[in-house]
Amino acid sequence: MRTRRIGDLGVGAIGLGGMPMSIEGRPDEQRSIATIHAALDAGVTLIDTADAYHLHADEVGHNESLIARALAGYGGDTSDVLVATKGGHLRPGDGSWTKDGSPEHLKQACDASLKRLGVEAIGLYQFHRPDPRVPYEESIGALRDLLDAGKIRYAGISNANPDQIRQAGDILGGRLVSVQNQFSPAFRSSEAELELCARMGIAFLPWSPLGGISKAGDLGSRFAPFAEVAKAHEVSPQQVCLAWMLAKAPVVIPIPGSSRPETILDSVKAVDLELTPEELGRLDAAG
């Protein structure tokens, strides 16, 4: 697995998104753990989760706990695995998503994530989504405090615009290491954030890079150039999509969600797929 950097840490250039293993339509735990172990076997060293990846109100942190069990039960060395989790987004259990970006909540959420993950410091902790009721600087100030307290090793933000990226970088004193935004062939509006991260040397982690749980399998039929390039290379359109993202900038680390070993194993092969400038141009124009 080729590597890219988050802060001063090298991680595999393709990560694993854990969300599909814990929300609607989730598989049984055995298959989820097999998926995580397959990813580790393939060289994945970045696993993305959040305390809000669960279904019911009484199972907050379901995905964090699942990942902790999978890592504990893995037969190999996991010391180089970076688990990235998030706080500030909530699921009351009725299918809705709410926000709480208050410093009090973020610090309590971090403490709870620490316990579920069973670590002394969270590898990467990201503010999940801006809360319009809380000044952004107060939310980011909580991340700064968590860094200073040694409860988190790295700090990042998610669903942020360029002004928020710059503001977070200032508040964190240059310690902002990642931005996790939606980006896919169907969702190009985070291109400005991607380019800013490339200039600032901050990792850009596209979420739902293949279009989301329900649409990832149809990527080739929805965007013909991805299917055409895939046919020429005898690979899947999903591999082409991830390779296209990797070619955008050295800071891009896609985190495709997966709940089956075969899908994450297909995704990681994108690191070895070399696309021509002409192919990249066709894919850029496909949105």
Side-chain angles (χ1 to χ4, degrees):
M1 172 73 81
R2 299 181 186 181
T3 61
R4 295 194 167 186
R5 303 203 72 78
I6 295 180
D8 58 4
L9 185 67
V11 299
I14 297 288
L16 170 65
M19 184 178 179
M21 303 178 201
S22 292
I23 64 165
E24 289 80 358
R26 67 191 184 195
D28 61 77
E29 182 167 311
Q30 184 177 2
R31 194 179 91 186
S32 292
I33 289 179
T35 301
I36 296 169
H37 287 178
L40 296 171
D41 288 342
V44 170
T45 55
L46 171 64
I47 302 178
D48 177 76
T49 183
D51 62 0
Y53 294 167
H54 64 89
L55 272 176
H56 311 294
D58 61 351
E59 57 168 20
V60 174
H62 178 278
N63 197 244
E64 293 175 323
S65 299
L66 172 67
I67 289 167
R69 288 193 294 274
L71 290 174
Y74 183 63
D77 180 18
T78 60
S79 61
D80 61 343
V81 176
L82 178 65
V83 176
T85 192
K86 298 180 286 295
H89 218 5
L90 301 89
R91 299 199 79 187
D94 59 0
S96 67
W97 295 76
T98 60
K99 308 177 188 73
D100 188 345
S102 67
E104 297 77 16
H105 171 76
L106 290 174
K107 292 176 181 180
Q108 292 169 1
C110 178
D111 285 342
S113 292
L114 275 167
K115 292 178 181 177
R116 285 189 290 265
L117 293 170
V119 295
E120 294 183 0
I122 292 173
L124 172 59
Y125 195 69
Q126 301 174 105
F127 179 37
H128 203 153
R129 188 176 288 273
D131 181 350
R133 301 170 304 167
V134 179
Y136 197 66
E137 61 269 20
E138 292 184 11
S139 300
I140 304 305
L143 295 187
R144 180 194 57 218
D145 294 346
L146 291 169
L147 277 171
D148 292 343
K151 292 187 175 184
I152 64 176
R153 184 176 176 187
Y154 294 113
I157 54 177
S158 185
N159 301 297
N161 63 38
D163 287 342
Q164 289 166 335
I165 294 171
R166 296 186 189 95
Q167 185 179 14
D170 290 342
I171 294 169
L172 294 173
R175 293 179 292 174
L176 177 67
V177 301
S178 66
V179 173
Q180 182 173 322
N181 275 20
Q182 185 176 9
F183 186 73
S184 69
F187 191 92
R188 305 287 185 92
S189 62
S190 284
E191 193 93 45
E193 288 83 0
L194 189 162
E195 293 172 357
L196 177 59
C197 286
R199 291 196 299 272
M200 296 177 68
I202 296 170
F204 183 84
L205 314 179
W207 63 263
S208 288
L210 303 177
I213 297 171
S214 63
K215 297 180 179 179
D218 300 328
L219 189 149
S221 60
R222 296 172 63 226
F223 299 94
F226 286 84
E228 294 160 3
V229 173
K231 184 177 181 180
H233 287 271
E234 298 183 332
V235 299
S236 69
Q238 291 77 15
Q239 265 188 61
V240 169
C241 178
L242 296 173
W244 165 70
M245 289 188 181
L246 290 170
K248 287 278 181 186
V251 299
V252 176
I253 307 173
I255 45 172
S258 179
S259 63
R260 293 185 294 133
E262 51 266 40
T263 54
I264 189 58
L265 292 178
D266 182 74
S267 291
V268 298
K269 294 176 183 176
V271 300
D272 296 317
L273 178 58
E274 298 289 342
L275 302 176
T276 68
E278 186 273 336
E279 289 171 331
L280 292 171
R282 287 167 58 197
L283 300 175
D284 283 337

